Amino acid sequence: QCDYTAKTYKYLKIHMSSKHEGIRYPCDQCEHTSSDAIYLKRHKEREHDGIGHPCNQCDFIAKHYSTLKLHKESKHEGITYSCDQCEFITTDKTNLRRHRESKHEGIRHACNQCDFSTSDQTCLRRHKRSKHEGVRYFCDQCEFQSPQKFKLKRHKELKHGETSQPLNTSSQLSIETVEHNQSTETLVQNMT
């Protein structure tokens, strides 16, 4: 029915049911829907039950184990990744891949509903959700609203003194890259 390819039968089955049969698993506590029951369970644990993965070396708590692993590698083990075509260095493999695609391979992802394009697929999904699907996050203490959850968290910290767990660097970089139209290299330098 489409050109999607999966690494396992399980992933193909999930794709078929969610994309072609319209089967979704809605969260009973928010607007989130998942393509599989196990993904919904993980969503509830992370977003509503406060279950996370704490770092054993500092007070960082990650929502995903993979984020905790990246945190430990970059913050406590000093692991960095270098571009083999320029002097770009990052602590995140995903940022290195995005850098190569945008700076050296010229890969762009275009919105199919307007003229927007970006070098990052995550930014394109975020753009579509906020600009074309009308996704908004509302502050429960004032009139503030934002198309991005990150901005709502930042607002609550700055305006209402709420503290939340640190965001992972790659999410922050993706948002900042779109908002300020700066290069990822400059952002990494500014953050260190």
Side-chain angles (χ1 to χ4, degrees):
Q1 295 179 348
C2 71
D3 56 0
Y4 174 81
T5 57
K7 291 182 181 178
T8 67
Y9 176 73
K10 177 186 175 193
Y11 292 134
L12 179 62
K13 189 176 171 185
I14 290 170
H15 169 81
M16 293 291 292
S17 66
S18 67
K19 300 297 180 189
H20 300 291
E21 298 167 14
I23 297 172
R24 303 295 293 174
Y25 297 83
C27 178
D28 59 359
Q29 298 175 39
C30 71
E31 298 298 315
H32 177 81
T33 62
S34 294
S35 57
D36 190 69
I38 191 70
Y39 298 150
L40 177 61
K41 181 178 183 266
R42 289 180 190 157
H43 159 80
K44 285 183 172 186
E45 289 174 349
R46 285 191 311 265
E47 299 298 328
H48 304 298
D49 299 338
I51 296 173
H53 303 278
C55 178
N56 61 1
Q57 298 176 41
C58 70
D59 60 357
F60 179 80
I61 299 174
K63 287 186 177 182
H64 304 275
Y65 177 75
S66 59
T67 304
L68 176 62
K69 185 177 177 210
L70 290 172
H71 162 80
K72 285 183 173 184
E73 288 177 353
S74 65
K75 303 298 181 197
H76 303 299
E77 298 169 17
I79 295 174
T80 59
Y81 302 93
S82 303
C83 179
D84 58 0
Q85 299 178 45
C86 70
E87 296 179 17
F88 176 78
I89 297 173
T90 182
T91 58
D92 186 334
K93 277 186 199 179
T94 302
N95 286 338
L96 179 59
R97 180 186 52 79
R98 289 177 183 158
H99 161 79
R100 284 183 181 151
E101 288 177 352
S102 67
K103 301 298 179 194
H104 303 299
E105 299 170 15
I107 293 175
R108 303 289 297 168
H109 304 279
C111 179
N112 59 2
Q113 298 176 33
C114 70
D115 293 337
F116 177 82
S117 73
T118 178
S119 59
D120 183 6
Q121 277 188 312
T122 303
C123 291
L124 179 60
R125 280 194 299 273
R126 191 175 291 120
H127 160 80
K128 286 182 173 183
R129 286 176 48 89
S130 67
K131 301 296 181 193
H132 303 298
E133 297 171 17
V135 173
R136 307 297 290 176
Y137 298 94
F138 297 89
C139 180
D140 57 357
Q141 299 175 43
C142 71
E143 299 298 314
F144 179 83
Q145 59 177 292
S146 171
Q148 298 169 349
K149 194 183 288 188
F150 164 79
K151 287 184 177 181
L152 176 60
K153 284 183 180 182
R154 186 176 61 190
H155 161 81
K156 286 185 167 190
E157 289 171 359
L158 294 173
K159 300 295 181 189
H160 304 298
E162 285 189 18
T163 57
S164 62
Q165 296 304 319
L167 293 165
N168 71 52
T169 306
S170 60
S171 296
Q172 191 171 4
L173 285 175
S174 297
I175 293 166
E176 297 297 332
T177 302
V178 172
E179 289 179 349
H180 299 295
N181 200 19
Q182 294 178 344
S183 68
T184 305
E185 295 93 329
T186 304
L187 288 166
V188 171
Q189 290 170 359
N190 290 344
M191 291 181 75
T192 55

